[in-house]
Amino acid sequence: MAYQTNELRGGKDPQYEVIIIGAGVGGIYQLYKLKQLGVNVTVLEGAADLGGTWYHNRYPGCRFDSESYTYGYSFSKELLNEWHWKERFSGQPENLRYLNYVADKFDLRKYMQFNCLVTHAKFIESGNYWRLRLQDGREMTCRFLLTAIGLLSTPTPPRLEGMETFEGPSFHTYYWPQEPVDLAGKRVAVIGTGATGVQVIAALADMVGDLTVFQRRPNWCAPLNNAPISDAEMADIRARYDEIFAKCLRSPGGFEHEPDRRGFYEVSREERVALWDRLYDEPGFGIWLSNFREIFTDEAANAEFSEYIAERIRKRVKDPAVAEKLIPKDHGFGVQRVPMETHYYEAYNKPNVHLVDIAQTPIERITPTGIRTSERDYDFDIIVYATGFDAITGGYDRIDIEGVGGQKLRDKWADGPITYLGMQISGFPNMVTIAGPQSGSASTNYPRGIEVGADWVTGLLEYAWEHGYTRMEATHEAEEQWSEHVAQMYSTMLMRKAKGWFTGYNSNVPGHEHGRIRYFVYNGGSPKFRSTIIGVANDGYKGIVFGRRPGSNDDDNPRPQRLKREPAL
Ligand SMILES: Cc1cc2nc3c(=O)[nH]c(=O)nc-3n(C[C@H](O)[C@H](O)[C@H](O)COP(=O)(O)OP(=O)(O)OC[C@H]3O[C@@H](n4cnc5c(N)ncnc54)[C@H](O)[C@@H]3O)c2cc1C
């Protein structure tokens, strides 16, 4: 029988077997996997080029918190041998170069379509396919829709009166202009002191005339301890890549950093401090992830460690009053995403850097010449909004996604995401969220998690193709059980009380105020997540119901659809 898995017999073909939305780290890798299989696939990217996070965020100081060589893809030995990471935590320009290098090396660019912002996606039940609408009005169809739209891809400017009246340049860090910004001698304001704020503030302190930081709540930050990677060091890393990636696979966070297995209370105070002294001076997230596990679950252990970090801050900031303002009082270390910094605290020792505590003197409005707080007016040449993202579900809320029976995803997720394995959603057949909310891929060193997620998704699609299935959907029961499991894991974690994006808090997003937890991330660690999803696959994708179009035949050709034509670009 002629090969027909992709056809709507008697009707129209969907244009593509697979559409991937998003050309970031996730979309690029998922495309690579499907291209290997010869699938008729395209990537739709809203931006003018590929790179996702590393295309958009061009602010000074933007760089990895992951070790560069653990962030790069692991799938190609050739790629690993060719690419030389120049810094342990490399900066945005190099990261973007890397992703372009990967896309070009594997000839992926021709399968990507840029300036294609997807605004609507509707599941067509009669034919088991998705119809997408782009911002420019074009429509496209596909059998399977894979979302690689990012978890930190929807920036949230603050909701301040008068923002449009400011006469100078002002932008959210996500939209930092591509052309050079003249900063020399300028009076610059930065609003926000999260992971991005901490990077941009430290960098701007050396570049501008005068810098004023508006801080509502400080974060616990720790030194990145970045350094160049020499040729000899890179050769050593290359020789150890297998070992490095194996270690990342074993560790809960997908990093080289593994938790200290000793019990917090089993060792003396001196031994604890010895560990902390060592970790504070080591590169990267070790201070967070190689710490005692009780830091995340035990109030007293967390308080003792937080006080240790507070002392470090007091030693680094000369003015005791400023130091106290920079020490968080409403949460302990590590219950929110820890911003990694390079001379961040020392920036406040410079005479041209000022800190305004807007918890005490709130911003009243943006004026044509600057910012008005309850205390006074400030004049600026440039205002930078480092106010973060509508994390995890923001990218989904921006698309009008309509599933079975006209149900909207944004309604289903109004109080927080409900998913099966963070990758499937009941009522939204044939849609897969590669590293979606509640997946273990989303809460780790991303590319390590994204590779795991995309490999699994590829296996799932192959399974459907091999069996001639044109429809797959998580059951309601499977989804309920998974979401319940994800929620339960929060119950032991101190993070459940924190005002951070792990719990869905964002005061700039209506409905995301403090008070109701959104169970956004899977806290079981990547090894457990991986073994769970592999188990599901080995069990014939338990929890997912497969089907064919009415009238289709079980003997349909069981091979995946090969690329029949180049995508219409
Ligand atoms: C400043 C910053 C630093 C970070 N540092 C690290 C780090 O050190 N380590 C780490 O593990 N993670 C880090 N992250 C997280 C980072 O987002 C991930 O590492 C990774 O880049 C995510 O890749 P992605 O492909 O899933 O999503 P993204 O890179 O966000 O890409 C998603 C793409 O989808 C596109 N898109 C979204 N919606 C639509 C739509 N409706 N239509 C069309 N296109 C759409 C976007 O334009 C974007 O290009 C950082 C994030 C930020 C913001």
Side-chain angles (χ1 to χ4, degrees), residues 21-28 44-47 49-57 59 62-67 71 99 116-119 148-153 174 196 199 255 285 337 389 395 398-399 435 444-447 450:
I21 311 181
V25 175
I28 292 171
L44 301 180
E45 167 55 59
D49 210 341
L50 61 83
T53 291
W54 307 108
Y55 171 84
H56 291 279
N57 294 275
Y59 59 84
C62 181
R63 64 177 59 253
F64 286 148
D65 289 336
S66 299
E67 280 75 6
Y71 190 97
L99 292 176
C116 287
L117 188 74
V118 178
T119 53
I149 57 179
L151 303 179
L152 298 173
S153 58
Y174 189 77
T196 290
Q199 287 185 336
F255 289 90
F285 275 137
R337 204 302 202 164
F389 298 92
R398 279 198 311 182
I399 308 174
T444 60
N445 191 6
Y446 268 71
I450 281 168

Short mmCIF file of all heavy atoms in Angstrom, two decimals, residues 21-28 44-47 49-57 59 62-67 71 99 116-119 148-153 174 196 199 255 285 337 389 395 398-399 435 444-447 450, ligand 1:
data_model
loop_
_atom_site.label_atom_id
_atom_site.label_comp_id
_atom_site.label_asym_id
_atom_site.label_seq_id
_atom_site.Cartn_x
_atom_site.Cartn_y
_atom_site.Cartn_z
N ILE A 21 7.79 25.27 17.17
CA ILE A 21 7.78 26.73 17.38
C ILE A 21 8.97 27.08 18.25
O ILE A 21 9.09 26.57 19.38
CB ILE A 21 6.48 27.22 18.06
CG1 ILE A 21 5.24 26.65 17.37
CG2 ILE A 21 6.43 28.75 18.03
CD1 ILE A 21 3.93 27.13 17.99
N GLY A 22 9.84 27.95 17.75
CA GLY A 22 10.99 28.43 18.52
C GLY A 22 12.30 27.87 18.02
O GLY A 22 12.45 26.67 17.83
N ALA A 23 13.24 28.79 17.77
CA ALA A 23 14.56 28.39 17.27
C ALA A 23 15.64 28.72 18.29
O ALA A 23 16.68 29.28 17.97
CB ALA A 23 14.85 29.08 15.93
N GLY A 24 15.37 28.36 19.55
CA GLY A 24 16.40 28.48 20.59
C GLY A 24 17.13 27.16 20.71
O GLY A 24 17.07 26.30 19.82
N VAL A 25 17.81 26.98 21.83
CA VAL A 25 18.57 25.76 22.07
C VAL A 25 17.69 24.51 21.88
O VAL A 25 18.11 23.52 21.28
CB VAL A 25 19.15 25.76 23.51
CG1 VAL A 25 19.85 24.46 23.83
CG2 VAL A 25 20.10 26.92 23.70
N GLY A 26 16.45 24.60 22.36
CA GLY A 26 15.54 23.45 22.28
C GLY A 26 15.08 23.18 20.86
O GLY A 26 15.15 22.04 20.38
N GLY A 27 14.60 24.21 20.18
CA GLY A 27 14.09 24.04 18.82
C GLY A 27 15.18 23.56 17.87
O GLY A 27 14.93 22.72 16.99
N ILE A 28 16.37 24.08 18.05
CA ILE A 28 17.49 23.70 17.16
C ILE A 28 17.77 22.20 17.31
O ILE A 28 17.92 21.46 16.33
CB ILE A 28 18.75 24.53 17.48
CG1 ILE A 28 18.52 26.00 17.10
CG2 ILE A 28 19.98 23.98 16.75
CD1 ILE A 28 19.62 26.96 17.58
N LEU A 44 9.24 27.51 13.17
CA LEU A 44 8.72 28.87 13.05
C LEU A 44 9.27 29.70 14.21
O LEU A 44 9.06 29.34 15.38
CB LEU A 44 7.19 28.86 13.10
CG LEU A 44 6.49 28.04 12.02
CD1 LEU A 44 4.97 28.13 12.18
CD2 LEU A 44 6.90 28.50 10.62
N GLU A 45 9.95 30.74 13.89
CA GLU A 45 10.58 31.58 14.92
C GLU A 45 10.07 33.01 14.77
O GLU A 45 10.13 33.58 13.69
CB GLU A 45 12.11 31.50 14.78
CG GLU A 45 12.90 32.53 15.57
CD GLU A 45 12.59 32.53 17.08
OE1 GLU A 45 12.78 31.50 17.72
OE2 GLU A 45 12.16 33.59 17.59
N GLY A 46 9.62 33.57 15.89
CA GLY A 46 9.09 34.92 15.85
C GLY A 46 10.15 35.97 15.60
O GLY A 46 9.87 37.02 14.99
N ALA A 47 11.37 35.72 16.04
CA ALA A 47 12.44 36.71 15.89
C ALA A 47 13.02 36.66 14.48
O ALA A 47 12.67 35.79 13.68
CB ALA A 47 13.54 36.44 16.92
N ASP A 49 16.01 35.96 13.70
CA ASP A 49 17.07 34.96 13.53
C ASP A 49 17.01 33.95 14.67
O ASP A 49 16.23 34.10 15.61
CB ASP A 49 18.44 35.64 13.49
CG ASP A 49 19.45 34.86 12.64
OD1 ASP A 49 19.21 33.65 12.39
OD2 ASP A 49 20.46 35.44 12.23
N LEU A 50 17.86 32.95 14.60
CA LEU A 50 17.84 31.87 15.59
C LEU A 50 18.61 32.27 16.86
O LEU A 50 19.32 33.27 16.87
CB LEU A 50 18.44 30.59 14.99
CG LEU A 50 19.89 30.63 14.50
CD1 LEU A 50 20.89 30.41 15.63
CD2 LEU A 50 20.11 29.55 13.44
N GLY A 51 18.47 31.45 17.88
CA GLY A 51 19.27 31.66 19.10
C GLY A 51 18.45 31.81 20.37
O GLY A 51 18.97 31.64 21.46
N GLY A 52 17.17 32.18 20.23
CA GLY A 52 16.30 32.28 21.42
C GLY A 52 16.89 33.22 22.46
O GLY A 52 17.21 34.39 22.18
N THR A 53 17.04 32.71 23.67
CA THR A 53 17.59 33.49 24.79
C THR A 53 18.84 34.26 24.37
O THR A 53 19.02 35.43 24.73
CB THR A 53 17.96 32.51 25.93
OG1 THR A 53 16.75 31.99 26.48
CG2 THR A 53 18.76 33.20 27.02
N TRP A 54 19.70 33.60 23.59
CA TRP A 54 21.01 34.19 23.28
C TRP A 54 20.96 35.10 22.08
O TRP A 54 21.92 35.79 21.76
CB TRP A 54 22.06 33.07 23.14
CG TRP A 54 22.02 32.23 24.38
CD1 TRP A 54 21.53 30.96 24.49
CD2 TRP A 54 22.38 32.64 25.72
NE1 TRP A 54 21.57 30.55 25.80
CE2 TRP A 54 22.08 31.55 26.57
CE3 TRP A 54 22.91 33.81 26.28
CZ2 TRP A 54 22.31 31.59 27.95
CZ3 TRP A 54 23.13 33.85 27.64
CH2 TRP A 54 22.84 32.77 28.45
N TYR A 55 19.83 35.13 21.39
CA TYR A 55 19.59 36.11 20.35
C TYR A 55 19.01 37.39 20.98
O TYR A 55 19.42 38.50 20.64
CB TYR A 55 18.60 35.55 19.31
CG TYR A 55 18.14 36.59 18.32
CD1 TYR A 55 18.90 36.88 17.19
CD2 TYR A 55 16.96 37.30 18.53
CE1 TYR A 55 18.49 37.86 16.30
CE2 TYR A 55 16.54 38.28 17.64
CZ TYR A 55 17.32 38.56 16.52
OH TYR A 55 16.91 39.53 15.65
N HIS A 56 18.09 37.20 21.91
CA HIS A 56 17.33 38.34 22.43
C HIS A 56 18.11 39.15 23.47
O HIS A 56 18.13 40.37 23.41
CB HIS A 56 16.02 37.86 23.05
CG HIS A 56 15.04 37.32 22.05
ND1 HIS A 56 14.24 38.13 21.30
CD2 HIS A 56 14.73 36.05 21.69
CE1 HIS A 56 13.47 37.39 20.50
NE2 HIS A 56 13.75 36.12 20.71
N ASN A 57 18.68 38.48 24.45
CA ASN A 57 19.26 39.19 25.60
C ASN A 57 20.67 39.68 25.28
O ASN A 57 21.63 38.92 25.40
CB ASN A 57 19.32 38.26 26.81
CG ASN A 57 17.94 37.88 27.31
OD1 ASN A 57 17.33 38.60 28.08
ND2 ASN A 57 17.43 36.75 26.83
N TYR A 59 22.14 42.53 26.66
CA TYR A 59 22.57 43.55 27.62
C TYR A 59 24.01 43.28 28.07
O TYR A 59 24.46 42.12 28.09
CB TYR A 59 21.61 43.59 28.81
CG TYR A 59 21.49 42.28 29.57
CD1 TYR A 59 22.40 41.93 30.56
CD2 TYR A 59 20.47 41.38 29.28
CE1 TYR A 59 22.29 40.74 31.25
CE2 TYR A 59 20.35 40.18 29.97
CZ TYR A 59 21.27 39.87 30.95
OH TYR A 59 21.17 38.67 31.62
N CYS A 62 25.55 39.95 30.04
CA CYS A 62 24.74 38.74 29.85
C CYS A 62 25.66 37.56 29.56
O CYS A 62 26.43 37.59 28.60
CB CYS A 62 23.77 38.95 28.70
SG CYS A 62 22.71 37.51 28.41
N ARG A 63 25.59 36.55 30.38
CA ARG A 63 26.44 35.37 30.17
C ARG A 63 25.86 34.14 30.86
O ARG A 63 24.90 34.25 31.62
CB ARG A 63 27.87 35.62 30.66
CG ARG A 63 28.03 35.87 32.17
CD ARG A 63 29.50 36.04 32.55
NE ARG A 63 30.17 37.13 31.86
CZ ARG A 63 31.06 36.98 30.89
NH1 ARG A 63 31.42 35.77 30.51
NH2 ARG A 63 31.62 38.03 30.31
N PHE A 64 26.48 33.00 30.60
CA PHE A 64 26.05 31.75 31.24
C PHE A 64 26.29 31.79 32.75
O PHE A 64 27.28 32.35 33.22
CB PHE A 64 26.91 30.58 30.75
CG PHE A 64 26.64 30.09 29.36
CD1 PHE A 64 27.68 29.58 28.60
CD2 PHE A 64 25.37 30.08 28.81
CE1 PHE A 64 27.47 29.09 27.33
CE2 PHE A 64 25.15 29.58 27.54
CZ PHE A 64 26.21 29.09 26.80
N ASP A 65 25.42 31.09 33.47
CA ASP A 65 25.71 30.68 34.84
C ASP A 65 26.09 29.20 34.84
O ASP A 65 26.56 28.66 35.83
CB ASP A 65 24.48 30.84 35.74
CG ASP A 65 24.16 32.30 36.00
OD1 ASP A 65 25.08 33.13 35.90
OD2 ASP A 65 23.00 32.61 36.30
N SER A 66 25.78 28.54 33.75
CA SER A 66 26.20 27.13 33.56
C SER A 66 27.62 27.17 33.02
O SER A 66 27.97 28.05 32.23
CB SER A 66 25.35 26.45 32.49
OG SER A 66 24.00 26.43 32.84
N GLU A 67 28.43 26.18 33.40
CA GLU A 67 29.75 26.07 32.77
C GLU A 67 29.52 25.93 31.26
O GLU A 67 28.72 25.08 30.83
CB GLU A 67 30.50 24.84 33.30
CG GLU A 67 31.16 25.05 34.66
CD GLU A 67 30.21 25.05 35.85
OE1 GLU A 67 29.01 24.77 35.64
OE2 GLU A 67 30.66 25.33 36.96
N TYR A 71 27.05 23.37 28.97
CA TYR A 71 25.86 23.94 28.34
C TYR A 71 25.78 23.53 26.87
O TYR A 71 24.71 23.36 26.31
CB TYR A 71 25.88 25.46 28.47
CG TYR A 71 24.57 26.12 28.08
CD1 TYR A 71 23.62 26.48 29.03
CD2 TYR A 71 24.28 26.39 26.73
CE1 TYR A 71 22.42 27.09 28.66
CE2 TYR A 71 23.08 27.00 26.36
CZ TYR A 71 22.15 27.34 27.33
OH TYR A 71 20.97 27.93 26.96
N LEU A 99 25.52 28.89 18.66
CA LEU A 99 24.27 28.32 18.13
C LEU A 99 24.19 28.47 16.62
O LEU A 99 23.70 27.59 15.92
CB LEU A 99 23.06 28.97 18.82
CG LEU A 99 22.92 28.60 20.31
CD1 LEU A 99 21.77 29.35 20.95
CD2 LEU A 99 22.72 27.09 20.50
N CYS A 116 8.23 34.76 12.10
CA CYS A 116 6.98 33.99 12.05
C CYS A 116 6.43 33.82 13.46
O CYS A 116 6.58 32.76 14.08
CB CYS A 116 7.23 32.62 11.43
SG CYS A 116 7.51 32.68 9.66
N LEU A 117 5.84 34.86 13.98
CA LEU A 117 5.28 34.79 15.33
C LEU A 117 3.94 34.05 15.27
O LEU A 117 3.02 34.50 14.58
CB LEU A 117 5.10 36.20 15.89
CG LEU A 117 4.70 36.24 17.36
CD1 LEU A 117 5.90 35.88 18.25
CD2 LEU A 117 4.16 37.61 17.75
N VAL A 118 3.85 32.95 15.98
CA VAL A 118 2.60 32.17 15.99
C VAL A 118 1.66 32.80 17.02
O VAL A 118 2.02 32.96 18.18
CB VAL A 118 2.88 30.70 16.36
CG1 VAL A 118 1.58 29.91 16.42
CG2 VAL A 118 3.87 30.08 15.37
N THR A 119 0.48 33.16 16.56
CA THR A 119 -0.48 33.81 17.47
C THR A 119 -1.65 32.89 17.82
O THR A 119 -2.26 33.05 18.88
CB THR A 119 -1.04 35.10 16.85
OG1 THR A 119 -1.55 34.78 15.55
CG2 THR A 119 0.03 36.17 16.72
N ALA A 148 8.76 24.77 21.43
CA ALA A 148 10.09 25.00 22.03
C ALA A 148 10.20 26.50 22.25
O ALA A 148 11.15 27.15 21.83
CB ALA A 148 11.19 24.49 21.10
N ILE A 149 9.18 27.04 22.93
CA ILE A 149 9.01 28.49 22.98
C ILE A 149 9.71 29.12 24.18
O ILE A 149 9.63 30.33 24.36
CB ILE A 149 7.52 28.90 22.96
CG1 ILE A 149 6.77 28.24 24.12
CG2 ILE A 149 6.88 28.52 21.64
CD1 ILE A 149 5.29 28.61 24.18
N GLY A 150 10.39 28.30 24.97
CA GLY A 150 11.21 28.86 26.04
C GLY A 150 10.42 29.12 27.30
O GLY A 150 9.21 29.36 27.28
N LEU A 151 11.15 29.07 28.39
CA LEU A 151 10.52 29.29 29.69
C LEU A 151 10.81 30.69 30.23
O LEU A 151 10.18 31.16 31.16
CB LEU A 151 11.01 28.24 30.68
CG LEU A 151 10.75 26.79 30.21
CD1 LEU A 151 11.26 25.79 31.21
CD2 LEU A 151 9.28 26.55 29.94
N LEU A 152 11.79 31.33 29.63
CA LEU A 152 12.11 32.71 29.99
C LEU A 152 12.15 33.52 28.70
O LEU A 152 13.17 34.08 28.32
CB LEU A 152 13.46 32.78 30.73
CG LEU A 152 13.53 32.01 32.05
CD1 LEU A 152 14.94 32.01 32.60
CD2 LEU A 152 12.57 32.62 33.09
N SER A 153 11.03 33.55 28.01
CA SER A 153 10.99 34.20 26.70
C SER A 153 9.89 35.25 26.60
O SER A 153 9.67 35.82 25.53
CB SER A 153 10.79 33.14 25.61
OG SER A 153 9.61 32.41 25.84
N TYR A 174 15.60 42.31 27.84
CA TYR A 174 15.36 41.35 26.75
C TYR A 174 15.42 42.05 25.40
O TYR A 174 15.73 41.45 24.38
CB TYR A 174 13.99 40.72 26.98
CG TYR A 174 13.62 39.55 26.09
CD1 TYR A 174 14.15 38.28 26.32
CD2 TYR A 174 12.69 39.70 25.05
CE1 TYR A 174 13.77 37.20 25.53
CE2 TYR A 174 12.31 38.63 24.27
CZ TYR A 174 12.85 37.38 24.52
OH TYR A 174 12.47 36.30 23.74
N THR A 196 19.13 38.81 35.99
CA THR A 196 19.58 39.71 34.92
C THR A 196 20.08 41.02 35.50
O THR A 196 21.15 41.51 35.12
CB THR A 196 18.41 39.99 33.95
OG1 THR A 196 18.14 38.79 33.22
CG2 THR A 196 18.74 41.10 32.98
N GLN A 199 23.57 40.90 36.76
CA GLN A 199 24.59 40.88 35.69
C GLN A 199 24.76 42.27 35.08
O GLN A 199 25.88 42.76 34.91
CB GLN A 199 24.18 39.90 34.58
CG GLN A 199 24.31 38.43 34.95
CD GLN A 199 24.02 37.50 33.76
OE1 GLN A 199 23.33 37.87 32.82
NE2 GLN A 199 24.56 36.29 33.82
N PHE A 255 24.16 19.45 36.26
CA PHE A 255 25.45 20.16 36.27
C PHE A 255 26.55 19.20 36.73
O PHE A 255 26.27 18.08 37.17
CB PHE A 255 25.40 21.33 37.26
CG PHE A 255 24.54 22.47 36.81
CD1 PHE A 255 23.20 22.52 37.15
CD2 PHE A 255 25.08 23.50 36.05
CE1 PHE A 255 22.41 23.58 36.74
CE2 PHE A 255 24.28 24.56 35.63
CZ PHE A 255 22.94 24.60 35.98
N PHE A 285 27.64 27.33 40.13
CA PHE A 285 26.53 27.05 41.03
C PHE A 285 26.86 26.13 42.20
O PHE A 285 25.96 25.71 42.93
CB PHE A 285 25.38 26.41 40.25
CG PHE A 285 24.44 27.38 39.55
CD1 PHE A 285 24.00 27.13 38.26
CD2 PHE A 285 23.99 28.51 40.19
CE1 PHE A 285 23.12 28.00 37.61
CE2 PHE A 285 23.10 29.39 39.57
CZ PHE A 285 22.68 29.13 38.27
N ARG A 337 15.90 31.16 42.47
CA ARG A 337 17.02 31.03 41.54
C ARG A 337 18.16 31.95 42.01
O ARG A 337 17.95 33.15 42.22
CB ARG A 337 16.50 31.46 40.17
CG ARG A 337 17.15 30.99 38.92
CD ARG A 337 18.55 31.29 38.76
NE ARG A 337 18.94 31.26 37.34
CZ ARG A 337 20.05 31.78 36.93
NH1 ARG A 337 20.89 32.37 37.75
NH2 ARG A 337 20.36 31.72 35.65
N PHE A 389 10.75 37.97 33.68
CA PHE A 389 9.91 37.28 32.71
C PHE A 389 8.62 36.76 33.33
O PHE A 389 8.57 36.46 34.51
CB PHE A 389 10.68 36.08 32.14
CG PHE A 389 11.93 36.49 31.41
CD1 PHE A 389 13.15 36.55 32.08
CD2 PHE A 389 11.88 36.83 30.07
CE1 PHE A 389 14.30 36.95 31.41
CE2 PHE A 389 13.03 37.24 29.40
CZ PHE A 389 14.24 37.30 30.08
N GLY A 395 4.96 32.19 27.62
CA GLY A 395 5.01 31.95 26.17
C GLY A 395 3.77 31.22 25.68
O GLY A 395 3.30 31.44 24.55
N ARG A 398 0.66 33.57 25.56
CA ARG A 398 0.67 34.54 24.45
C ARG A 398 0.06 33.97 23.17
O ARG A 398 -0.28 34.70 22.25
CB ARG A 398 2.10 34.99 24.15
CG ARG A 398 2.61 36.07 25.07
CD ARG A 398 3.81 36.75 24.48
NE ARG A 398 4.81 35.80 24.00
CZ ARG A 398 5.97 36.16 23.47
NH1 ARG A 398 6.27 37.43 23.33
NH2 ARG A 398 6.83 35.24 23.08
N ILE A 399 0.00 32.64 23.08
CA ILE A 399 -0.58 32.02 21.89
C ILE A 399 -2.00 31.56 22.24
O ILE A 399 -2.22 31.00 23.31
CB ILE A 399 0.25 30.79 21.44
CG1 ILE A 399 1.73 31.15 21.31
CG2 ILE A 399 -0.28 30.25 20.10
CD1 ILE A 399 2.64 29.96 20.99
N ALA A 435 10.29 20.89 26.56
CA ALA A 435 10.81 21.03 27.93
C ALA A 435 9.83 21.92 28.67
O ALA A 435 10.17 22.97 29.18
CB ALA A 435 12.20 21.64 27.90
N THR A 444 16.61 22.33 35.11
CA THR A 444 18.02 21.93 35.23
C THR A 444 18.89 22.80 34.33
O THR A 444 18.41 23.74 33.73
CB THR A 444 18.18 20.48 34.76
OG1 THR A 444 17.76 20.41 33.39
CG2 THR A 444 17.34 19.52 35.58
N ASN A 445 20.15 22.43 34.25
CA ASN A 445 21.04 22.97 33.22
C ASN A 445 20.34 22.67 31.89
O ASN A 445 20.27 21.53 31.45
CB ASN A 445 22.38 22.21 33.33
CG ASN A 445 23.47 22.83 32.50
OD1 ASN A 445 23.31 23.90 31.91
ND2 ASN A 445 24.60 22.15 32.46
N TYR A 446 19.77 23.71 31.28
CA TYR A 446 18.75 23.52 30.24
C TYR A 446 19.13 22.56 29.11
O TYR A 446 18.36 21.66 28.80
CB TYR A 446 18.40 24.87 29.63
CG TYR A 446 17.24 25.55 30.31
CD1 TYR A 446 17.37 26.08 31.58
CD2 TYR A 446 16.01 25.66 29.69
CE1 TYR A 446 16.31 26.70 32.20
CE2 TYR A 446 14.95 26.28 30.30
CZ TYR A 446 15.10 26.81 31.56
OH TYR A 446 14.05 27.42 32.17
N PRO A 447 20.29 22.76 28.49
CA PRO A 447 20.54 21.90 27.34
C PRO A 447 20.62 20.42 27.70
O PRO A 447 20.20 19.57 26.92
CB PRO A 447 21.89 22.40 26.82
CG PRO A 447 21.95 23.80 27.31
CD PRO A 447 21.30 23.79 28.65
N ILE A 450 17.05 19.62 27.89
CA ILE A 450 16.41 19.72 26.58
C ILE A 450 16.79 18.52 25.71
O ILE A 450 15.94 17.96 25.00
CB ILE A 450 16.82 21.05 25.89
CG1 ILE A 450 15.99 22.20 26.48
CG2 ILE A 450 16.68 20.97 24.38
CD1 ILE A 450 16.47 23.59 26.10
C1 LIG B 1 19.68 36.01 30.59
C2 LIG B 1 19.48 34.55 30.68
C3 LIG B 1 20.54 33.74 31.05
C4 LIG B 1 20.38 32.36 31.12
N1 LIG B 1 21.42 31.58 31.51
C5 LIG B 1 21.26 30.25 31.59
C6 LIG B 1 22.33 29.40 32.00
O1 LIG B 1 23.43 29.83 32.28
N2 LIG B 1 22.09 28.07 32.08
C7 LIG B 1 20.87 27.53 31.77
O2 LIG B 1 20.74 26.32 31.84
N3 LIG B 1 19.86 28.31 31.37
C8 LIG B 1 20.02 29.64 31.29
N4 LIG B 1 18.97 30.43 30.90
C9 LIG B 1 17.70 29.81 30.51
C10 LIG B 1 17.62 29.75 28.98
O3 LIG B 1 16.41 30.28 28.61
C11 LIG B 1 17.86 28.33 28.49
O4 LIG B 1 19.18 27.96 28.79
C12 LIG B 1 17.68 28.08 27.00
O5 LIG B 1 18.28 29.06 26.23
C13 LIG B 1 16.23 27.89 26.64
O6 LIG B 1 16.15 27.47 25.32
P1 LIG B 1 14.75 27.27 24.64
O7 LIG B 1 15.02 26.90 23.23
O8 LIG B 1 13.94 26.34 25.45
O9 LIG B 1 14.02 28.66 24.76
P2 LIG B 1 14.45 30.10 24.23
O10 LIG B 1 15.90 30.24 24.13
O11 LIG B 1 13.72 31.07 25.08
O12 LIG B 1 13.87 30.15 22.76
C14 LIG B 1 12.50 30.19 22.50
C15 LIG B 1 12.28 30.81 21.15
O13 LIG B 1 10.91 30.69 20.83
C16 LIG B 1 10.48 31.86 20.19
N5 LIG B 1 9.04 31.99 20.38
C17 LIG B 1 8.37 32.07 21.55
N6 LIG B 1 7.06 32.18 21.31
C18 LIG B 1 6.90 32.15 19.98
C19 LIG B 1 5.77 32.23 19.12
N7 LIG B 1 4.54 32.37 19.61
N8 LIG B 1 5.96 32.19 17.78
C20 LIG B 1 7.22 32.05 17.28
N9 LIG B 1 8.32 31.98 18.04
C21 LIG B 1 8.16 32.03 19.38
C22 LIG B 1 11.27 32.97 20.89
O14 LIG B 1 11.39 34.12 20.06
C23 LIG B 1 12.61 32.30 21.13
O15 LIG B 1 13.51 32.57 20.09
C24 LIG B 1 19.11 31.80 30.84
C25 LIG B 1 18.04 32.62 30.49
C26 LIG B 1 18.22 33.99 30.42
C27 LIG B 1 17.05 34.83 30.05
#
